Amino acid sequence: MSPSLAILIAAAPLSLLAVGLFAWIAPGGDTDRILFLARAASLFALASGAVAFIAVLALGSANSGLIGAGGLGLSLRLDPLSAALFALVAFVGAVVVQFSRNYLDGDPGQTKFFAWLCVTLSAAISLVLAGNIVLLALAWVATSLALHKLLVFYPERRKALFAARKKFIVARASDLCLLGGLAILYVRFGTGEIATILGLVREQSGAGLDAAAILLALAAIFKSAQFPLHGWLTEVMETPTPVSALLHAGIINAGGFLAIRFAEIVVGSPVAMSLLVFIGGFTALFGAIVMTTTTSVKVSLAWSTVAQMGFMLLECGLGLFSLAALHLVAHSLYKAHAFLSSGSVVDTVRASRVQPPMVDGRSLLAAFGMAAALYLGLGIPAGAILGLSAQAIVVGAVFVMALGIWVAPAMAWRTDRAIQLRVLGMAAAVTALYLALHSLVTAYFGDLLPPPPAPDAYAMTGMALSVLSFGTVATLQILLPGKAATPLWRAARIHLANGLYVNAITDRLVGALR
């Protein structure tokens, strides 16, 4: 990496950190200056992210020099993964900073909010750009601690404090797992440079790294609010909306980033891959079911994040790391918009919603059949399906089910063919876009990420259970609204809306640790 490019990239997190420190020590009358500096630093980070992304496309991957000794210290790594996520974090950060200027206008703690917001963004950018395990560990911990200050921005809100305390405990468990895994890698290879470690692992096929892979997988699981330690993520709704957007669109994705960054190590351990498959898959199903029972917009989005993080780790456990990276980017953009626009959701739905007819079994079969026909009809001629791995076929089946949920209400509208044709046209466009993005992201990452391994018995079991479970949930999501008045569903809805009371158990444990 050229010195000028390294300086430009390093200046992005450093400028945000400098603004955060200035906002912390500045007197209260400097609010306008702090807001200006925060916006300028976030826009500079966005420009730097765009330059880094273009540089990777034009010049390929590169490392900066190491500031340290013994293979440990501070260095930057610029490759397709770090460049894409650098641009993503900077973009979300710039949007959140701009939104926060209006959202917190007049709040007496506005300057302190921007102090911790800038520090959090600086740590998140440093995390995705880390080229050495020292910087990775420091940024990992700093991101969590800075976010904690944002979660308790209103200390008089007791629910927010308790949820933040639960998150703090889970985050420290994640930190310990990460530090343990990184320590094993350093002892094994004698260097902390991530690119060097991954290169050596690729040459040695990851032999003897089961312990490190399991610890890294557990660190990702804890960081991503997976079952049964997911409760804090659905209970931090009393924080300012910009914090929710930053958390759900950026920070929570750190677990998926870690699994993707160390894919060469994780993929060599069947135990680590199984943990990601079974815990991630179950969390995805659990979150998706509970989400359908909530009435709060922000809480529903939080359960959606729990489910999406589970599905992302499931993709990593199946070895579909490039698809998981695409999922990470798409989820971040969608969830940032969803949270920042959550205040207007009720008015939008009230003004535009048309109640479709109830979906029956005939419409359900027609919807799934049409979704499968679109997926195969567009994928086979384009060559996007033939030759895919078994894992990719499983994810394709899940995509067909999700598409079927979307198409089913239109299939039930038998008296209006225009609506059916319009929805099918949109479904065809979504399918074509999915296939195109899948092919594009695979070509973008090239040989940076390992291909899916040959599935063993555990992997085959996990894939079969995933298809069966997602199919069951998809069917229930479509048919249950028609059963809403039945006594059985009324009783089940109460228990599901409370998350099957898993949070009550963790609340007692956290209360005992107070």
Side-chain angles (χ1 to χ4, degrees), residues 81 202 260-261 263-264 321-323 325 445-451:
L81 178 63
R202 192 178 293 111
I260 298 170
R261 170 55 78 200
E264 295 283 358
F321 295 102
S322 60
L323 191 60
F445 285 110
D447 59 356
L448 176 69
L449 301 175

Side-chain angles (χ1 to χ4, degrees), residues 22-90:
F22 174 75
W24 181 254
I25 63 176
D30 282 346
T31 301
D32 292 338
R33 182 185 302 176
I34 292 170
L35 295 181
F36 172 79
L37 292 175
R39 186 183 185 189
S42 65
L43 293 176
F44 174 73
L46 178 59
S48 298
V51 171
F53 186 77
I54 296 173
V56 167
L57 292 177
L59 306 174
S61 303
N63 294 316
S64 70
L66 176 65
I67 302 175
L72 295 175
L74 307 179
S75 67
L76 301 177
R77 168 71 175 167
L78 195 60
D79 58 19
L81 178 63
S82 62
L85 296 189
F86 177 22
L88 173 67
V89 174

Side-chain angles (χ1 to χ4, degrees), residues 135-146:
L135 180 58
L136 178 72
L138 291 175
W140 181 275
V141 176
T143 302
S144 175
L145 296 178

